Amino acid sequence: MSASMQFPQHADVGLLSDSAGKQRLRRRLLTWFDRHARDLPWRRSRDPYRVWVSEVMLQQTQVATVIGYFERFTERFPTIESLAAAEEQEVLRMWEGLGYYRRARQLHAAARRIVDEHHGQFPRDPAAVRALPGIGRYTAGAILSIAFDDAQPILEANTIRVISRLLAFRGDPAGTVGQRLLWKAAGDLLPRRRAGDFNQALMELGSEVCTPVMPRCEECPVRPHCPTSRLGLQALIPAPKKKTRYEAVTQAAVVIERRGKLLLRQCGPDERWAGLWDFPRFPLQTLDDKSRCAEMADGVLKLTGLAVQLGPRLTTIKHGVTRFRITLECFRASAVAGRLRRGEVAMHWVSPADLDSYPLNVTGRKIVQCLAVN
Ligand code: SF4
């Protein structure tokens, strides 16, 4: 494949063929990282388990949110063996509020696999690491480089932005050409020693200095190497993503009471929040209150098998999930007839005092808090 096919014309790849330039860039970035690295709990050890947990938590989630979760999670499950031995419900309860619960289920499944297949030792072989549930190319590279100093490149939101700017790459970084170019550049820039620190330094630079909007180029240690800053193209590189189109959706959540207990339903494997528990929840179509009552009673019957007498509105919660902007109308209800559907998904009658031990999705927990004050 020719160089022009490998790299689009609008990327300045001169840096990648200039060994002395790359050396200077590495030195500048590592010196900056040594001085400016934030003191984060997962940086205090090179234990691959702790690096792994932090990397999984940091996917789609801000550092400030992750810190508390990381500390609680690793205190409760300090080793791969302790995580593998836990019940999935407890793992989900520790993850509650962090979102993207598939990450927690896969982390748990991978811990069990490591115990079964690798005697509880985190594998060193990249292929074995990538064979674990929930570990893709980025996460494998991050764990192996940070924990073992293996020269494995990484590419995630921050490094994509920094490297795109260092190459003045104006194409789509998520496209095939962009991904090939950026992965190659991430590998070419890696030093032979301190690969883990270098990867973390690139991420730190992207998070703290080379930000999406108004990067602080005047404070940037690699500015002498950056064509984007020289050309004033920071607002155009990386190429802006297409705007997400949001969709408004209305749903009902019904808190059904029977003899002092409340009904919780476990989300099935194909549902959003699989494995977590929720109050019976379903889409609402009608807008006027009168027809809405009939629709809700019907929705509860279909979902649970119970006939209910609807009570007062408890609260309305507005929240966003992926591209959906959801208005959740929460009502109380009393079960008056019928039997719980058995088989497809679990449903439990739970006393209010025991709600705390069930892993709930965020809105489920908000409803519990609302019940406590109503
Ligand atoms: Fe980013 Fe500016 Fe540094 Fe270039 S000089 S890498 S645009 S912060």
Side-chain angles (χ1 to χ4, degrees), residues 85-268:
E87 293 293 330
E88 185 182 275
Q89 290 294 287
E90 196 188 357
V91 177
L92 289 171
R93 183 70 182 92
M94 296 301 295
W95 205 272
E96 191 186 295
L98 204 50
Y100 301 95
Y101 296 92
R102 191 155 177 255
R103 296 179 297 176
R105 292 196 309 276
Q106 290 184 321
L107 190 73
H108 185 226
R112 290 189 163 175
R113 184 93 77 81
I114 293 171
V115 167
D116 288 347
E117 296 175 10
H118 303 282
H119 311 290
Q121 296 297 310
F122 198 90
R124 291 282 309 256
D125 171 38
V129 175
R130 286 191 61 183
L132 294 169
I135 298 194
R137 188 174 179 184
Y138 160 73
T139 310
I143 300 167
L144 290 168
S145 65
I146 297 169
F148 304 118
D149 233 1
D150 282 1
Q152 300 285 340
I154 59 160
L155 211 53
E156 44 68 76
N158 286 312
T159 44
I160 285 174
R161 185 167 57 257
V162 174
I163 297 175
S164 294
R165 286 173 171 167
L166 287 173
L167 301 181
F169 172 58
R170 297 184 66 172
D172 175 8
T176 313
V177 172
Q179 282 287 297
R180 198 187 310 134
L181 169 69
L182 295 172
W183 274 108
K184 169 143 183 24
D188 281 358
L189 289 172
L190 264 187
R192 268 201 292 272
R193 291 174 52 210
R194 298 192 68 191
D197 285 346
F198 185 82
N199 280 339
Q200 291 188 84
L202 271 181
M203 289 193 275
E204 190 88 346
L205 189 75
S207 155
E208 301 300 295
V209 177
C210 191
T211 45
V213 180
M214 310 247 294
R216 303 205 304 274
C217 299
E218 65 291 350
E219 294 170 31
C220 178
V222 298
R223 191 180 187 182
H225 307 270
C226 183
T228 296
S229 173
R230 201 163 49 245
L231 298 167
L233 294 174
Q234 295 92 325
L236 297 176
I237 298 175
K241 283 187 198 151
K242 281 195 195 123
K243 284 223 163 106
T244 310
R245 286 190 165 204
Y246 293 106
E247 193 179 322
V249 170
T250 305
Q251 297 180 337
V254 186
V255 179
I256 305 168
E257 189 261 333
R258 194 186 67 178
R259 295 191 210 112
K261 293 192 170 181
L262 306 175
L263 186 66
L264 285 184
R265 176 183 178 276
Q266 190 172 31
C267 303

